Amino acid sequence: MSKEYVNSICGMCSVRCPIQVEVVDGKAEYIQGGKSLNGSLCPRGAAGTALTYDEERPQYPMIRAGERGEGKWRKVSWDEALDYVADKLKAVQEEYGKDAILFSDRGGPFRDFYRAFLRGIGTANYNNHDSACARNVQNSALSVFGFGRKGVSYDFKNCKHIVLQQRNVMEAINVAEVNNVLSGMENGAKLTVIDIRANVPATKADNFFLIRPGTDYAFNLAVLHVLINEELYDKEYVANWFDGFDALKVFVQQYPPEWAEEETGIAADSIRDFCRQLAEAAPSVIWHPGWMTARYSDSFYMSRTIYLINALLGAIGAKGGLPFMGKPGDAGAKGLQSFMNLYPKPEGKRADGIGWMEGRKHYDAGPGLVNLAYDAIVEGKPYPIKAYIAQRHDPLMAFPDMKDVKAMWDNLDLLVAVTFSWSDTAWYSDVVLPISPFLERDDTIMTKNGPKPSFVMRKRAIEPLYDTKAIWEIYSGLAKRFGLDDLVYENIEDIWKFQLEGTGYTIEDFAETGAVGLASAPIYKPVTENSFKTPSGKIQIIDAKLEEDGLPSLKPYESPERPPEDKFRITFGRCALHTQGHTVNNKLLFERMPENTLWIHTDRAKALGIENDEYVSVGNNGYSAKIRAFVTDFIHPECVFMIHGFGHTLPCESRAIGKGAADNELMPKGIRKYDKGGGAISMQEHFVTVSKA
Ligand SMILES: Nc1nc2c(c(=O)[nH]1)N[C@H]1C(S)=C(S)[C@@H](COP(=O)(O)OP(=O)(O)OC[C@H]3O[C@@H](n4cnc5c(=O)[nH]c(N)nc54)[C@H](O)[C@@H]3O)O[C@H]1N2
Ligand SMILES: Nc1nc2c(c(=O)[nH]1)N[C@H]1C(S)=C(S)[C@@H](COP(=O)(O)OP(=O)(O)OC[C@H]3O[C@@H](n4cnc5c(=O)[nH]c(N)nc54)[C@H](O)[C@@H]3O)O[C@H]1N2
Ligand code: SF4
Ligand SMILES: [Mo]
């Protein structure tokens, strides 16, 4: 018997925790957290083996043989698949121009190699998935600080008051973060949860505010009102680092807690008391700006107020608050060499209009807003988009209303899915290029920014079981067909050597733990003239770029529509046992949680004659699904809640098929509703009906 332990990186969600894989006779038997996590892992990470050994994943490249979505495939060799894709991409570019190729992915730290390929072929249309996730937070950080949301980290360990608003740290998991939150609480940190239902953190909270769905912005405006009017803010910090504080002060006068009580259902006295608690803990306060905030048409402004509250308390740049993100350079190290620098940035204008179109100049252009680029597929404007590669991205589940999105893709000559599991998008595509799951593949070295920045290596633990490839192999193969010789590689070691050039580190330095730490102690960078990247160099209340796009910096509050008496607002979130929609068919995780439930308030259920645990019907605009009711006092009566990612219909997923309901199908034409401030889709602006099944 041979037994070895391989250090690698989990790939069951986008957090990418370090893992150690026990490999016995070439089989991955057991996974635990890496050294920096002291072995701890979340349930999904532990189920990585079940993904690997699942026969129900794409095992070889396929080209569509029937109609889109019909599920008829022709098994092909990698050479044929890559020839096919390369020829089609070239033909599209020849006829419609270089930018006629659209690409979207899951984002993250492994992108450099294939983004270099996209530059090499000259398309300006790189996108990530984020318009269905954190775009509002990203753009609000940019609007206030001039840097993105990852410009700060969260020092939970040393924090004295943690505020989770629309943020479920304990079920929407990042293992290191959960550990740090728990350490912080053991050290005495208070916890406040503002949510539309009692989630797991709420059960451990010092303050739990059950808020009326859609009114978070009102709550935050009242907090600003109290902090400013009761002079509970950090005056020195504000004097040094705020630009436009007086405008904020004038603006919030119309929003006292008594007004917010009417809107949110949270008592004015509780809001006041909460603000005083915050001031006591300042600057060691973290009010998390939100992660998945693609929810309302004013979520951008909600996140913006959160950043401003943190700043008023002096928490931006503070120990125990939101310190500035440590990067390799801050530790005196040189960053990894980038493949993207081998090619110039494409000159074309983006198809989503970002950076140049009226109303879209203020958005972060980096990863775009892919939902807006779909209009170019439909209308051929500003120019036609004819080929689309969705890599590690399942837009059909991640965006609302599958039928609507499929119809938007009708004009495509080529739709490619690069993926390690089946998804609605893969099933609907023309070509499936199967990636080896993370236990079977090497990746480019990633940089992990944070208090102690590091380089981390994902090493394959076992040989691929099927005819699948690593991401670098796929793009190296395509690069060869485009004559991009600088991206043609035969083995990963040469790629790693290129990345490490000039850093002073070698591949051998990763042998022991899989990572190279760049700092010996956590980095806390002081606030200086260079901290904020706004025109004034300060935290800005008035954002000229936003206003040039016709949007106010300080948006007057608008009360959200209340659902009609027989309807509910649809709300959703995560659970500890699944990642989005792509783990429902995982054998281990499916056994633990085969379906989602519909949270509904006791009084509303009673009025509808619905008992706990019985199947009910939830519907909107022609879509309806059966789902088990979870009747509880601990949800706001105006809404129902479900875990996202269920309601699968693909015949190739024998476990997941027909289980639970799909929240994304309850949002008709929802991809067209987005927050103009931040660009993210407003997925909770829909009302549904519930009845006995
Ligand atoms: N209605 C509704 N819509 C939502 C959400 C919601 O809660 N409700 N959530 C939104 C959010 S926050 C997000 S981030 C998006 C997520 O949606 P997506 O951005 O599409 O991301 P995933 O579902 O994580 O992954 C997409 C595909 O990548 C494949 N994949 C390939 N390689 C890998 C790998 O190495 N690792 C991983 N993890 N996957 C790989 C997976 O199998 C999966 O099919 O959906 C958003 N859309
Ligand atoms: N286990 C697990 N962990 C994950 C993921 C996963 O799929 N599974 N996905 C990862 C990804 S891509 C993301 S983006 C993050 C998401 O991380 P989070 O955004 O923290 O997670 P969610 O559960 O989507 O939403 C957080 C909370 O918002 C609440 N909520 C819903 N509507 C409202 C509202 O109107 N107001 C208020 N105040 N609260 C509301 C929900 O009840 C929920 O408790 O998680 C990441 N981590
Ligand atoms: S949070 Fe869980 S699933 Fe995500 S990377 Fe970490 S261990 Fe893996
Ligand atoms: Mo997300």
Side-chain angles (χ1 to χ4, degrees):
M1 188 180 83
S2 82
K3 191 174 183 175
E4 62 168 333
Y5 294 91
V6 182
N7 293 310
S8 191
I9 304 173
C10 180
M12 292 296 283
C13 87
S14 49
V15 170
R16 301 175 185 91
C17 299
I19 52 172
Q20 193 183 66
V21 190
E22 184 182 295
V23 182
V24 181
D25 291 335
K27 189 163 186 267
E29 290 281 354
Y30 183 74
I31 305 174
Q32 61 171 352
K35 197 173 160 210
S36 63
L37 296 176
N38 291 324
S40 59
L41 210 58
C42 90
R44 301 163 299 146
T49 49
L51 162 74
T52 311
Y53 295 105
D54 189 354
E55 286 171 12
E56 293 191 356
R57 62 174 164 97
Q59 298 181 3
Y60 40 76
M62 277 166 265
I63 297 178
R64 177 166 63 83
E67 293 301 307
R68 274 194 186 139
E70 210 187 339
K72 289 192 181 145
W73 300 101
R74 189 160 63 82
K75 177 180 175 180
V76 296
S77 68
W78 273 101
D79 269 336
E80 185 175 347
L82 295 179
D83 281 345
Y84 184 91
V85 172
D87 288 348
K88 283 263 183 184
L89 292 177
K90 284 181 195 166
V92 160
Q93 284 194 314
E94 223 149 84
E95 189 169 349
Y96 302 100
K98 292 225 183 279
D99 296 317
I101 297 172
L102 181 67
F103 180 98
S104 65
D105 70 6
R106 190 64 174 72
F110 298 122
R111 294 176 293 170
D112 184 49
F113 192 77
Y114 60 80
R115 286 194 70 183
F117 168 77
L118 294 172
R119 279 194 172 184
I121 64 171
T123 176
N125 290 309
Y126 164 75
N127 298 265
N128 70 12
H129 76 295
D130 215 25
S131 49
C133 182
R135 267 306 90 178
N136 281 330
V137 187
Q138 171 69 8
N139 280 313
S140 58
L142 275 172
S143 164
V144 173
F145 305 132
F147 54 69
R149 72 187 177 105
K150 293 185 178 160
V152 288
S153 61
Y154 306 101
D155 190 6
F156 286 115
K157 246 187 201 167
N158 297 304
C159 185
K160 293 193 185 134
H161 198 138
I162 300 166
V163 185
L164 302 176
Q165 178 176 33
Q166 221 171 96
R167 176 77 185 88
N168 186 351
V169 157
M170 285 156 195
E171 291 167 283
I173 298 176
N174 169 329
V175 176
E177 195 169 85
V178 181
N179 290 344
N180 289 338
V181 168
L182 294 175
S183 305
M185 287 172 69
E186 271 165 30
N187 293 336
K190 277 200 157 118
L191 176 66
T192 294
V193 172
I194 307 151
D195 209 286
I196 48 91
R197 63 178 182 121
N199 56 11
V200 171
T203 64
K204 304 180 190 304
D206 298 276
N207 309 300
F208 170 46
F209 299 126
L210 185 74
I211 195 167
R212 174 160 90 89
T215 65
D216 289 274
Y217 183 43
F219 181 87
N220 297 3
L221 288 170
V223 168
L224 283 168
H225 179 103
V226 177
L227 291 179
I228 292 175
N229 286 13
E230 292 192 15
E231 301 197 7
L232 296 170
Y233 60 95
D234 185 330
K235 294 204 192 73
E236 196 185 328
Y237 191 98
V238 168
N240 288 339
W241 307 116
F242 269 60
D243 181 34
F245 175 73
D246 290 343
L248 180 66
K249 184 171 179 176
V250 170
F251 174 69
V252 298
Q253 291 314 310
Q254 53 190 317
Y255 304 116
E258 288 68 23
W259 163 85
E261 178 172 338
E262 293 277 298
E263 270 305 306
T264 62
I266 298 164
D269 284 347
S270 307
I271 298 177
R272 287 210 156 82
D273 179 52
F274 167 55
C275 292
R276 290 167 199 151
Q277 291 177 31
L278 289 179
E280 236 165 74
S284 299
V285 171
I286 300 172
W287 186 321
H288 198 287
W291 190 347
M292 197 286 164
T293 52
R295 296 188 193 261
Y296 299 105
S297 54
D298 65 3
S299 291
F300 165 79
Y301 288 98
M302 183 200 78
S303 285
R304 209 170 178 268
T305 46
I306 297 179
Y307 280 125
L308 291 176
I309 292 166
N310 281 307
L312 282 176
L313 295 166
I316 304 296
K319 186 170 180 184
L322 299 87
F324 298 112
M325 187 67 91
K327 299 192 176 146
D330 301 314
K334 199 161 169 283
L336 295 173
Q337 180 165 238
S338 163
F339 287 100
M340 276 174 81
N341 290 341
L342 296 172
Y343 301 95
K345 194 168 172 253
E347 284 163 7
K349 287 182 171 173
R350 298 187 55 93
D352 56 16
I354 293 177
W356 63 275
M357 209 181 267
E358 215 50 53
R360 299 185 189 174
K361 286 186 223 160
H362 68 282
Y363 298 129
D364 177 8
L369 293 169
V370 74
N371 48 310
L372 299 181
Y374 291 173
D375 292 339
I377 305 174
V378 179
E379 296 160 12
K381 277 189 261 178
Y383 49 77
I385 292 284
K386 286 289 183 181
Y388 180 23
I389 303 173
Q391 168 166 308
R392 289 198 54 213
H393 187 199
D394 182 9
L396 290 182
M397 180 161 280
F399 291 139
D401 194 344
M402 243 179 249
K403 209 167 130 206
D404 185 42
V405 177
K406 282 179 181 171
M408 295 180 97
W409 293 350
D410 269 355
N411 288 339
L412 288 172
D413 289 351
L414 179 70
L415 175 61
V416 182
V418 188
T419 179
F420 67 22
S421 66
W422 279 111
S423 65
D424 288 292
T425 303
W427 195 249
Y428 196 68
S429 63
D430 304 329
V431 184
V432 177
L433 300 179
I435 318 176
S436 306
F438 55 95
L439 293 182
E440 300 179 344
R441 74 170 191 252
D442 301 300
D443 270 306
T444 47
I445 299 171
M446 69 175 237
T447 302
K448 194 164 190 153
N449 293 329
K452 287 166 133 189
S454 57
F455 299 140
V456 195
M457 187 181 269
R458 175 181 276 154
K459 243 177 138 168
R460 69 160 61 150
I462 57 168
E463 292 297 312
L465 294 168
Y466 304 114
D467 191 14
T468 56
K469 283 200 187 296
I471 294 169
W472 70 268
E473 290 177 291
I474 296 174
Y475 287 93
S476 181
L478 287 173
K480 193 169 171 186
R481 287 160 173 84
F482 275 87
L484 301 170
D485 294 342
D486 288 338
L487 296 177
V488 180
Y489 279 87
E490 293 300 324
N491 61 64
I492 190 72
E493 284 78 15
D494 289 341
I495 291 183
W496 289 339
K497 278 182 197 152
F498 174 92
Q499 290 186 283
L500 290 171
E501 225 171 273
T503 62
Y505 294 103
T506 64
I507 297 175
E508 287 70 44
D509 294 327
F510 293 81
E512 202 182 324
T513 63
V516 167
L518 304 173
S520 46
I523 298 168
Y524 291 102
K525 290 188 272 184
V527 192
T528 68
E529 287 74 42
N530 298 322
S531 297
F532 303 109
K533 309 297 176 198
T534 54
S536 61
K538 295 188 175 187
I539 295 166
Q540 62 180 16
I541 305 299
I542 304 302
D543 175 357
K545 257 178 128 178
L546 198 61
E547 302 201 349
E548 276 160 32
D549 265 341
L551 296 161
S553 300
L554 297 165
K555 184 178 158 327
Y557 179 76
E558 284 171 55
S559 188
E561 199 185 332
R562 284 187 196 264
E565 220 166 275
D566 59 337
K567 291 196 175 179
F568 299 81
R569 189 180 284 276
I570 179 70
T571 69
F572 53 78
R574 313 269 163 272
C575 62
L577 281 160
H578 286 290
T579 304
Q580 334 290 11
H582 72 77
T583 59
V584 181
N585 204 51
N586 178 298
K587 223 180 219 168
L588 288 176
L589 298 172
F590 176 83
E591 269 171 24
R592 290 297 174 93
M593 182 175 172
E595 60 185 341
N596 54 355
T597 59
L598 188 76
W599 289 48
I600 181 169
H601 190 271
T602 313
D603 295 344
R604 301 285 313 261
K606 205 166 169 191
L608 292 165
I610 290 168
E611 306 264 349
N612 187 39
D613 222 27
E614 75 169 312
Y615 280 99
V616 298
S617 176
V618 57
N620 190 9
N621 197 43
Y623 172 85
S624 86
K626 279 204 184 123
I627 181 169
R628 227 184 260 276
F630 173 60
V631 178
T632 170
D633 290 344
F634 297 102
I635 181 167
H636 197 280
E638 272 185 23
C639 64
V640 283
F641 170 91
M642 66 173 79
I643 300 297
H644 170 63
F646 289 82
H648 290 216
T649 58
L650 300 181
C652 53
E653 297 184 311
S654 67
R655 297 160 220 128
I657 188 171
K659 296 290 192 311
D663 60 335
N664 43 307
E665 293 293 52
L666 293 164
M667 308 162 179
K669 304 223 183 256
I671 195 171
R672 293 145 210 274
K673 280 191 185 180
Y674 70 97
D675 180 339
K676 302 294 179 292
I681 294 171
S682 315
M683 295 192 208
Q684 291 191 175
E685 303 279 20
H686 300 269
F687 300 142
V688 299
T689 52
V690 179
S691 55
K692 274 177 96 75

